[in-house]
Amino acid sequence: MKIGILGTGNIGRTLVKRLSAAGHEVKVANSRGPETIDADLLANGARAVTSAEAVTGVDVVILSTQLGAIPKIAPLFAGVPAETIVIDTSNYYPKRDGEIAAIEGGQTESAWVAEQLGRPIAKAWNAITSASFAEKAAPAETAGRIAIPVAADGEREREVAMRLVDETGLEPVYAGSLADSWRQQPGSPVYCTDLTRDEIPAALAATERARLPKRRDLAIEAIMERVGDSTANPDSDYAVRLTRALFM
């Protein structure tokens, strides 16, 4: 497949490496320009391009940016064909993204992103830490393989997202529609807790929507206290122990 990836943060970097290694034709862009993209990201054949080029002539676009950047990115999709699949990996953190009234009022993060873009999306790769994603991927059928939820309204979006999740070394589990995707938002039992396929259904069912924001914010405070700032990420073992204690 031809895949455009917007964003070279920790999740985006792993996506570029894994999907290009899997044989896909990958183009990658960030907000600073192709000349700023590290050469190691391109080792498996990915190409550094502009943001406009990344969404042109591709089968799939993956958004691996902060949720607060979505409105700035949205104009890029004005000319993107309707058949192009869009997959979003972002999560809402109001202290970083600014408060978004619709999400604070109960709209799911995924539905808000779809609304900003004016098109259907799938939600995937949002519910795993960047460290676990980089370090713990495994081939299909591996015992204890980490699973992540995938949300989508359309069958095509769901099927493509789940296929690509599998090809990046994680077990995809369909978690329902975008309206139900609050079950995989920050603070939920499936969020960054490194569960297996068999454990995901019960975790989705146990999600308590009203408690998600407080749990999300408690995790951020604990991480900031440990690492000292809001940009560094803790190691995967600490992060998973913390999220399991707070979210499950």
Side-chain angles (χ1 to χ4, degrees):
M1 299 179 76
K2 297 179 179 179
I3 301 174
I5 298 176
L6 295 177
T8 54
N10 292 326
I11 294 292
R13 291 177 65 85
T14 301
L15 286 169
V16 172
K17 293 177 180 178
R18 297 263 171 78
L19 292 173
S20 54
H24 297 290
E25 186 178 321
V26 176
K27 297 189 288 186
V28 57
N30 63 22
S31 61
R32 301 181 302 280
E35 69 281 356
T36 67
I37 293 176
D38 294 340
D40 70 304
L41 278 186
L42 313 178
N44 295 323
R47 293 191 295 124
V49 298
T50 66
S51 296
E53 290 171 325
V55 302
T56 302
V58 293
D59 304 304
V60 180
V61 176
I62 301 175
L63 300 178
S64 190
T65 67
Q66 296 179 359
L67 183 140
I70 297 293
K72 296 179 182 178
I73 292 170
L76 292 172
F77 289 85
V80 175
E83 60 268 22
T84 302
I85 301 294
V86 178
I87 307 173
D88 175 47
T89 74
S90 69
N91 294 296
Y92 174 54
Y93 285 95
K95 290 184 179 180
R96 179 195 66 193
D97 300 313
E99 286 197 3
I100 297 173
I103 296 176
E104 294 289 340
Q107 186 177 29
T108 66
E109 297 167 18
S110 302
W112 183 85
V113 171
E115 186 177 273
Q116 302 309 301
L117 301 181
R119 60 187 301 132
I121 68 164
K123 183 83 162 188
W125 295 293
N126 76 296
I128 187 166
T129 67
S130 58
S132 287
F133 189 23
E135 299 166 7
K136 300 179 181 179
E141 308 303 328
T142 300
R145 191 189 199 202
I146 293 174
I148 60 168
V150 175
D153 291 338
E155 184 175 348
R156 287 185 65 243
E157 287 81 9
R158 180 187 69 204
E159 289 182 352
V160 170
M162 292 184 69
R163 170 188 165 185
L164 294 179
V165 165
D166 178 62
E167 291 183 357
T168 60
L170 303 172
E171 190 73 19
V173 177
Y174 179 57
S177 67
L178 297 187
D180 290 329
S181 63
W182 55 271
R183 296 182 183 275
Q184 67 193 71
Q185 289 180 183
S188 67
V190 299
Y191 186 76
C192 299
T193 49
D194 285 5
L195 303 181
T196 65
R197 166 181 284 279
D198 291 341
E199 294 171 321
I200 290 252
L204 289 170
T207 310
E208 299 173 82
R209 191 169 190 173
R211 301 180 71 177
L212 300 185
K214 185 173 183 179
R215 291 175 173 181
R216 173 199 66 203
D217 294 345
L218 283 172
I220 290 298
E221 289 180 13
I223 290 170
M224 288 181 65
E225 189 279 332
R226 183 178 180 88
V227 302
D229 61 56
S230 60
T231 59
N233 291 320
D235 64 78
S236 62
D237 289 340
Y238 170 77
V240 172
R241 290 198 307 271
L242 175 67
T243 53
R244 288 187 173 191
L246 292 177
F247 302 164
M248 296 184 72

